[in-house]
Amino acid sequence: MFAVEVRQTKQAWLLTLRGELDFNSAVQLREAADRVAAEPSGRGLMVIDCTGLGFCDSSGISSLIAIRQWLSARGSTLRLAAAPGAVARIFTLTGLDQVVRVYSTASDALTVDGEGVPAPSPADAPA
């Protein structure tokens, strides 16, 4: 069974995936992403947390690429986070990780600037 949990954080929209992203479930992901992007606050950053993703096939990869293209055309950014081993391997083999930044955790994807460098926190600022 596949599920997409959608929530808004201060930094971005966060979509958390659970289950298998395949031909049958790719539609659910696209619909969730479309709903977010249609929101007035839907521009900017979207992070897809793959922690609970057990499998991703070519339909899932196609959906992620389509979401990235759709967001990019609107001046928004897609980031992927926390892909488990087998899923991360699929992202690498297909070259998806060359098109969409993949972060080790959702927290990193939400707090890292566009150059892959952790954004400084107020605690890091010189006194």
Side-chain angles (χ1 to χ4, degrees):
M1 179 177 219
F2 181 78
V4 181
E5 175 189 325
V6 178
R7 70 182 175 96
Q8 189 174 17
T9 71
K10 289 181 184 178
Q11 302 93 339
W13 283 92
L14 179 64
L15 281 66
T16 303
L17 309 184
R18 302 206 189 297
E20 296 185 352
L21 182 54
D22 57 19
F23 179 80
N24 294 319
S25 58
V27 173
Q28 285 178 261
L29 175 58
R30 281 181 138 167
E31 288 173 351
D34 287 348
R35 281 192 307 272
V36 166
E39 291 286 324
S41 60
R43 295 188 182 238
L45 176 62
M46 179 184 294
V47 173
I48 298 181
D49 181 354
C50 302
T51 304
L53 198 59
F55 174 79
C56 182
D57 72 4
S58 60
S59 299
I61 297 295
S62 294
S63 290
L64 293 169
I65 291 170
I67 291 166
R68 185 238 177 238
Q69 290 173 330
W70 197 86
L71 289 171
S72 182
R74 286 154 183 75
S76 298
T77 303
L78 174 64
R79 294 178 180 172
L80 301 176
V87 174
R89 181 157 166 74
I90 297 284
F91 289 175
T92 300
L93 290 172
T94 60
L96 181 64
D97 63 341
Q98 300 299 309
V99 178
V100 180
R101 275 191 191 265
V102 182
Y103 294 81
S104 58
T105 67
S107 178
D108 285 349
L110 290 167
T111 59
V112 172
D113 71 17
E115 300 302 315
V117 177
S121 69
D124 294 335

